[in-house]
Amino acid sequence: MQLVIVESPAKAKTIEKYLGGDYRVLASYGHVRDLPAKDGSVDPDDDFAMAWENYGDKAKQLKAITDLAKTADRLILATDPDREGEAISWHVREVLRARKALPKEVERVTFNAITKATVTDAMKKPRELDTDLIDAYRARRALDYLVGFTLSPVLWRKLPGAKSAGRVQSVALRLVVEREREIETFVSQEYWSVTADLEQGGQGFGARLVRWRGEKIERLTIGKEGDALAAKADVEAGRFTVSSVETKPATRNPPPPFTTSTLQQEASRKLGLSASETMRVAQQLYEDGAITYMRTDGVQMDASAISEARSAIANRYDAGYLPDKPRHYQTKAKNAQEAHEAIRPTDFSRASVGSGVHAKLYELVFKRALASQMASARMERTAVELTDGTGQHTLRATGQVVLFPGFLALYEEGRDDAVDEDSKLLPALKAGDSPAKQGVRAEQHFTQPPPRYSEASLVKRLEELGIGRPSTYASTLQTLKDRDYVRIEKNRFFAEESGRLVTAFLERFFERYVAYEFTAGLEDELDEISGGRAQWQEVLAAFWRDFKPKTAEIMELKPSEVTAQLDAFLAPMLFPDKEDGSDPRACPLCAEGRLSLRGGRYGAFIACSNYPECKFTRKFGQPGAAGADTGPEELGKHPETGEPILRKSGRFGPYIETTIAGEAKRASIPKDLPDGELTLDWAVKLLSLPRTIGDHPETGKPITASIGRYGPYLAHEGKYGRLASTAEVFETGMNAAVVKLAEAANRTGGARKGAEPLKVLGAHPRTEAEIKLMAGRYGPYVTDGTTNATLPKSITPEELTLEEAAQLIDDRAAAGPAKGRKTKAKAAPKAKAKTATKAKTAPKTKAAPKAKAAPKAKTATKTKAPAKKAEPASS
C-alpha cells in the first residue's frame, strides 16, 4: 500500500479517485505542528533551535496518518508546490519519524493542477524534499516568532493597549498610516479650466484651452476665477480654425495571466473581494480541479496550456484575433523557487464553473489567461490644435479610436484610480476647418490628496517595495483588520488611532525595523536561503545581533519617557494648529492647563497638566475612542436634589453621574441614545432606573424595566424579557410587559431546536447532508445537523452559496471541538451548570492554567540546526 498525504479532504477525495486501489490518500488539514506561542520556542543561544508542538486539534488526523504509515510500503508527500507545502511535508515526515512510523521509502511529489493527467504524471516524477525551501521556511518562521515575541512584550509594557507588532504587518500598517498623514497635510489648490464645446459635421467634441495670451497653460496656471472668466471671454470672442492634426498609431498588448498578487488586485477592483476572500475562493477552485495552483509569482503557462488556449481562441474568434506566434511572458519574481506556472484554467473549453462568487472569480481567471494569448489591440490616437486669428490663444482636443479590439474584445484590466481622458471619439478634421462653437465653459477645480489605499493598491505597493511575499498578503492585511489597527470604508483603508499610535512608537524607537528598504532586504536574504545561496542560521544571527540589544534598550525606558517622546512625535496630529492662532494644547475645560499625551492602565489618552484639579481627558488609540473629549461635562442640576449631573467617560464607555444621599449614582449612556440626544431630562430618567411598571396580575410581584450589560430588559421573579430600545424602558405598560415576559419564557429551553431556517441551501456536495442557514444568538450560522459554523463577516447571508457553506462546515469540523466543550460534556448535569457559571464569571486570566494542563509536552520537540546541509535535522 502507498500512502499519499495532501492538505485538504476535498483534494484527498479527488486524488484517490485518480490513483486507484493501491493508494490511500489522507489529508493533514494544513499544518500539523507549529512553534508554541510561549517563550523559548526559538532559542538563539542554541543555534536557533526550535521546539515544535503538534496542534491539539490535529491529533485525530495524525493518528490516522501514523496508523496507515506503519503498514505502508511508501510515503508520498503531495502537499502544495510552494514553500509552505514543502514545510507541511517536512513536518509530517518528522512527526512520523519521531513516532517510529516512517516507511523506508519517502518521496515528494508536486503538481500544479488537480486533474487526472497532471496528478498521474507527477507520480511518475518523485523527488526528495527540498532542503533549501525547508531552511527558508524555518528562517522565516523563526524570524517572525523572534520579532513578534520580542517586540510585542515591549509594546505591551511601554504602550498599554497595543496588541502586537510583526515583521511585515507593521510595515504594511506604516504604509496606511503614512498615506493618512499625506492626506492630512495636503493643502488643496484651486485651479480653473476653460473648455470650448465645438461641433463639426454634426458631431460634438470638447477642446481645452492650452495657450492663452501667448503663454502655455499648465494645470495650475489659472488659479483665480477672475483670470478664468477673462480667458473664457477671449475664447468666446475668437474664431478658431484647425492649425494641426496629428495622428499616431498605438498598440496595446494583453497583460500576462494572473499571479497571486495580480489576482488579488483584480478581484478587489472588479469583484470587491478582499485578499483573504479571493484566496479562499481560489483555493476551492484549485481543489475542484478548475484552476492551477493559486500561490505563484510566475506569469508563464506551459506549452500544452498555450496550445489549448490558442485553439480556444481560434474556435471563438476569426483568424485576426490569434497572433502568428504564441506569447511568452517573463516573470518579475525575485526568486524562481516560487515562480510556478501562472494561474490559469485547467481546461480552456470550460468557459464557466460553479456559481456565485466562484463563477465570477473563475471567469476572471479564464478571460485573463485566454486574453494573454490573443492579438494586440490596435488604436489610433489623434491630437487636434485650433488657433484663433491673433495666434495668441490655442485649443487642444484629443481622442482615440480602436481600429481593432484584439484581446480587448474579451478582457480589459481594471484600474485603481486612473481615468483615460483620451478615450473619446473625434470627428474627421483637417487643417483649415473651423468647427462651430456651441459654448465655452470655465470650470473650477481643486487638487485632490492622494487616495487612500484599496486592498488592490496596497497589495500592489507592497509588491513594488518587495515587502513580504504575495502568498502572505491576505493574512497580513487580515491581521491589521483583526487588530483594529485599520478599518475599511468603501473598500479603502483608514488608519485607526491605535494603528497610528503603534506606528509612531515603532518609527520613533525601532525605525530601522519598519524601514521599507530594510524589510525588503530581509526578504531578499530569505530568498537567498530558498535558492541555496545563504545559510539560514547565519541570516538569523545577523538580524538578532542588532535587534535583541535594541529591544533591551527600549525596555529600560520608563513609560513616561516613552509617552513624552510620542507626545512630541505625534504633536502635529494630536494638536494641529488652530485657524485663530491660539495654543492648540490649551485645555478646553480649565483654559489654564496644557494638554499632553499620557499613558494609563488601559491605553494612551490626552490629559490636562492641571490634574487633579482639572479632570479633562480624551482617549487616544483605545477601543471606542473617537477623539471626543471625555472630560466631565455638566448637563444640569438634578431637579430633586439640586446636585449637578455630569457626563463622563470610563473604561466601558460614556456614563452619567450624580450624587444622591451622599453617594455617587451612575448610569451608562445607551448606545441607541447618541450623545447629541442626551438631554438633562434623559439623564434624570436613566439615573432613576430601574423603573417599576407595576405588580404582575398573576403573581402580585413587581415587574421592572431597566438597562443592563446586554441592553434594555424586563425583569420579574428572576425571569427576563428583552426590550427593543431604550425608549421602551420608559414606555412599556403592564399589558405589553406581561406579553413580552410570556413570549420570552416560550423561547427559552429547547424551543430553539425547532427554529425555522432562514434558508435551505441544499445537500452537502461531499456528505449529502442537508445544509441550512440559521439565525443564532450571535449571528447567522450554517449547519448540516452535526456541525455548526458561524458565517464570517466577509460573507453576507444573502450572497452565501452552497459551496461556501459546505466549506465553512468542513473547516469547522476539521478544527475540532471548541476548547473546554469536551470537559463540560462529560460532567454531571449539576456540575455542568456550576462549570458554566464559573466560566462566565471567572476573569480571563484565570483560564490560562486550564489551557496548559493538556499533556502536550510529549509532542514538543526541539529542532537543532543540522550539521550538514544535505537534509533537515529530525525533530
Side-chain angles (χ1 to χ4, degrees):
M1 185 265 292
Q2 302 183 67
L3 176 61
V4 181
I5 304 299
V6 295
E7 290 95 337
S8 77
K11 189 174 170 183
K13 188 176 180 180
T14 304
I15 292 172
E16 194 164 75
K17 284 192 299 185
Y18 295 155
L19 295 180
D22 189 40
Y23 292 85
R24 286 295 306 278
V25 185
L26 292 183
S28 70
Y29 289 90
H31 277 281
V32 296
R33 64 179 190 172
D34 197 6
L35 298 172
K38 60 184 181 183
D39 289 336
S41 294
V42 177
D43 187 356
D45 297 328
D46 192 11
D47 211 9
F48 299 95
M50 302 182 202
W52 303 99
E53 185 174 274
N54 296 349
Y55 287 125
D57 60 0
K58 298 294 175 67
K60 183 179 178 181
Q61 284 78 25
L62 283 175
K63 184 179 185 306
I65 292 171
T66 303
D67 290 345
L68 277 181
K70 288 178 179 177
T71 60
D73 302 314
R74 179 184 177 212
L75 175 66
I76 303 171
L77 300 165
T79 49
D80 287 343
D82 59 2
R83 184 185 58 244
E84 289 299 309
E86 206 75 18
I88 292 171
S89 287
W90 174 69
H91 281 307
V92 170
R93 186 191 71 177
E94 297 308 298
V95 168
L96 292 177
R97 176 177 287 168
R99 295 182 176 188
K100 303 190 186 310
L102 194 66
K104 289 184 179 179
E105 195 175 349
V106 179
E107 292 178 323
R108 174 82 166 108
V109 163
T110 58
F111 35 82
N112 196 40
I114 304 176
T115 63
K116 186 169 184 178
T118 54
V119 171
T120 52
D121 185 57
M123 289 294 172
K124 299 172 186 176
K125 303 172 184 175
R127 61 170 173 81
E128 293 184 359
L129 283 168
D130 189 325
T131 54
D132 292 330
L133 281 186
I134 294 166
D135 285 350
Y137 160 77
R138 292 199 286 189
R140 194 176 291 269
R141 190 67 195 88
L143 198 57
D144 290 340
Y145 170 90
L146 290 171
V147 171
F149 274 81
T150 308
L151 191 53
S152 292
V154 178
L155 272 177
W156 302 333
R157 291 277 298 277
K158 306 303 175 186
L159 204 63
K163 294 180 179 177
S164 71
R167 183 176 60 86
V168 177
Q169 160 200 329
S170 298
V171 182
L173 177 60
R174 182 185 176 189
L175 279 172
V176 176
V177 170
E178 285 191 342
R179 179 56 55 89
E180 203 73 35
R181 291 177 191 153
E182 288 179 56
I183 293 170
E184 288 174 351
T185 57
F186 181 82
V187 178
S188 183
Q189 285 184 267
E190 178 186 7
Y191 69 97
W192 292 73
S193 63
V194 177
T195 306
D197 294 318
L198 308 175
E199 184 181 306
Q200 176 78 5
Q203 183 178 343
F205 64 99
R208 187 167 48 87
L209 182 65
V210 294
R211 190 176 185 83
W212 179 45
R213 296 177 180 175
E215 297 293 328
K216 185 178 180 182
I217 300 293
E218 303 289 354
R219 187 172 69 148
L220 301 178
T221 300
I222 303 177
K224 297 178 181 178
E225 184 179 14
D227 291 341
L229 293 177
K232 177 186 175 185
D234 287 343
V235 173
E236 287 174 331
R239 182 176 182 275
F240 288 82
T241 58
V242 175
S243 56
S244 68
V245 178
E246 186 179 5
T247 301
K248 289 183 178 179
T251 301
R252 188 170 164 189
N253 296 322
F258 284 127
T259 62
T260 301
S261 169
T262 53
L263 177 63
Q264 290 172 1
Q265 293 171 45
E266 195 74 337
S268 174
R269 296 184 193 110
K270 292 189 172 180
L271 304 181
L273 297 180
S274 67
S276 56
E277 286 175 307
T278 299
M279 297 312 291
R280 176 177 58 82
V281 177
Q283 176 84 38
Q284 292 164 357
L285 289 173
Y286 164 67
E287 291 179 356
D288 288 342
I291 64 173
T292 54
Y293 191 55
M294 66 289 159
R295 291 188 180 89
T296 173
D297 294 326
V299 291
Q300 71 280 0
M301 297 195 297
D302 69 29
S304 62
I306 291 174
S307 177
E308 191 182 336
R310 287 174 62 83
S311 296
I313 294 166
N315 291 335
R316 293 178 65 153
Y317 301 95
D318 62 42
Y321 287 84
L322 186 66
D324 295 335
K325 295 180 181 179
R327 291 184 182 276
H328 296 282
Y329 296 91
Q330 287 264 328
T331 181
K332 295 179 181 178
K334 293 196 172 190
N335 191 294
Q337 66 92 4
E338 286 189 286
H340 305 295
E341 190 181 0
I343 304 169
R344 61 168 177 83
T346 56
D347 183 355
F348 278 97
S349 66
R350 296 170 71 189
S352 63
V353 167
S355 62
V357 69
H358 294 78
K360 292 176 182 177
L361 191 68
Y362 178 82
E363 183 182 26
L364 268 187
V365 172
F366 177 85
K367 287 184 174 180
R368 174 89 167 215
L370 197 63
S372 72
Q373 289 301 315
M374 292 176 69
S376 301
R378 295 196 305 276
M379 290 160 285
E380 187 177 78
R381 290 176 181 159
T382 303
V384 178
E385 289 198 349
L386 304 96
T387 308
D388 76 333
T390 67
Q392 293 292 299
H393 315 309
T394 302
L395 300 173
R396 182 179 178 86
T398 57
Q400 179 175 283
V401 177
V402 177
L403 302 177
F404 172 68
F407 76 95
L408 292 175
L410 176 66
Y411 176 85
E412 184 166 8
E413 189 172 26
R415 302 181 183 187
D416 290 315
D417 302 293
V419 176
D420 189 353
E421 296 180 351
D422 296 331
S423 59
K424 56 185 179 291
L425 295 174
L426 292 178
L429 293 164
K430 62 181 185 299
D433 285 345
S434 295
K437 195 187 305 172
Q438 303 296 316
V440 181
R441 293 173 281 125
E443 296 174 306
Q444 183 186 37
H445 309 276
F446 292 91
T447 55
Q448 297 297 311
R452 289 181 173 88
Y453 286 109
S454 63
E455 287 226 0
S457 56
L458 184 55
V459 165
K460 184 178 181 181
R461 185 61 179 144
L462 287 168
E463 189 173 35
E464 287 172 351
L465 292 171
I467 294 167
R469 285 295 172 259
S471 59
T472 65
Y473 290 154
S475 59
T476 297
L477 301 188
Q478 190 60 47
T479 299
L480 296 182
K481 299 176 199 173
D482 293 343
R483 297 285 185 269
D484 293 323
Y485 288 157
V486 299
R487 70 181 187 277
I488 304 293
E489 289 184 14
K490 296 181 180 178
N491 200 32
R492 296 285 172 170
F493 281 93
F494 286 72
E496 294 282 24
E497 285 184 348
S498 55
R500 301 188 69 160
L501 186 63
V502 168
T503 299
F505 176 84
L506 295 174
E507 285 181 307
R508 177 62 189 82
F509 298 104
F510 293 92
E511 184 179 10
R512 179 189 180 196
Y513 300 99
V514 289
Y516 303 135
E517 299 80 6
F518 176 82
T519 308
L522 204 52
E523 288 292 344
D524 291 340
E525 290 187 69
L526 291 169
D527 284 344
E528 290 294 294
I529 298 171
S530 299
R533 297 179 292 276
Q535 209 278 335
W536 68 280
Q537 289 102 330
E538 291 177 2
V539 171
L540 289 175
F543 172 83
W544 189 247
R545 193 179 301 120
D546 297 325
F547 183 70
K548 179 59 176 174
K550 183 64 176 176
T551 56
E553 173 193 331
I554 303 306
M555 193 63 97
E556 292 298 316
L557 293 175
K558 295 178 181 177
S560 58
E561 294 175 320
V562 171
T563 51
Q565 294 193 45
L566 290 179
D567 176 78
F569 191 87
L570 289 167
M573 183 193 75
L574 295 176
F575 314 108
D577 293 334
K578 295 186 176 182
E579 290 183 5
D580 60 5
S582 60
D583 184 2
R585 287 181 179 262
C587 177
L589 188 62
C590 70
E592 296 177 359
R594 300 192 79 238
L595 303 180
S596 61
L597 184 69
R598 305 266 185 95
R601 182 179 177 185
Y602 303 114
F605 63 96
I606 309 298
C608 178
S609 58
N610 281 343
Y611 180 86
E613 289 78 13
C614 178
K615 291 184 171 58
F616 175 87
T617 59
R618 185 174 74 225
K619 286 183 181 180
F620 178 75
Q622 298 182 42
D629 294 347
T630 56
E633 175 191 350
E634 185 173 325
L635 299 173
K637 307 290 185 184
H638 197 290
E640 296 176 7
T641 66
E643 294 289 339
I645 298 178
L646 303 176
R647 178 203 172 278
K648 296 185 174 183
S649 185
R651 180 185 177 190
F652 301 108
Y655 65 95
I656 50 177
E657 180 182 278
T658 190
T659 303
I660 297 177
E663 293 186 3
K665 171 82 172 175
R666 300 182 181 90
S668 295
I669 299 174
K671 291 182 180 178
D672 62 346
L673 186 68
D675 280 356
E677 296 179 16
L678 181 63
T679 61
L680 178 61
D681 289 342
W682 265 113
V684 172
K685 284 182 179 181
L686 293 171
L687 289 166
S688 70
L689 294 176
R691 166 185 169 242
T692 300
I693 297 173
D695 293 338
H696 196 289
E698 295 177 5
T699 66
K701 302 293 185 182
I703 300 175
T704 60
S706 192
I707 301 172
R709 183 177 179 185
Y710 300 108
Y713 67 94
L714 295 168
H716 171 251
E717 284 202 307
K719 296 177 183 177
Y720 301 91
R722 185 175 296 178
L723 293 174
S725 66
T726 300
E728 285 193 6
V729 173
F730 302 98
E731 296 170 359
T732 301
M734 177 58 70
N735 291 339
V738 171
V739 170
K740 287 179 182 291
L741 286 167
E743 289 175 347
N746 290 334
R747 283 196 299 268
T748 58
R752 187 171 290 275
K753 288 186 177 178
E756 287 294 317
L758 298 175
K759 190 192 298 183
V760 176
L761 296 166
H764 193 299
R766 291 173 279 281
T767 67
E768 298 185 358
E770 187 177 62
I771 298 179
K772 299 176 183 178
L773 174 66
M774 307 293 290
R777 181 179 179 186
Y778 302 107
Y781 66 95
V782 290
T783 181
D784 63 355
T786 303
T787 303
N788 297 344
T790 303
L791 255 64
K793 292 179 181 178
S794 57
I795 301 178
T796 61
E798 295 77 20
E799 296 177 352
L800 178 69
T801 65
L802 174 62
E803 183 58 37
E804 288 172 335
Q807 190 62 44
L808 288 170
I809 288 170
D810 288 348
D811 292 345
R812 184 68 193 88
K819 290 181 180 178
R821 192 171 291 172
K822 213 172 220 179
T823 308
K824 290 182 185 178
K826 288 181 180 178
K830 286 185 180 178
K832 183 178 181 181
K834 287 181 180 178
T835 305
T837 307
K838 285 181 181 177
K840 275 188 177 181
T841 58
K844 289 183 180 178
T845 50
K846 300 267 185 180
K850 288 188 179 181
K852 292 181 180 177
K856 291 185 179 178
K858 290 183 179 179
T859 58
T861 325
K862 214 169 196 183
T863 304
K864 288 197 176 186
K868 297 180 181 178
K869 198 163 188 330
E871 181 172 320
S874 61
S875 305

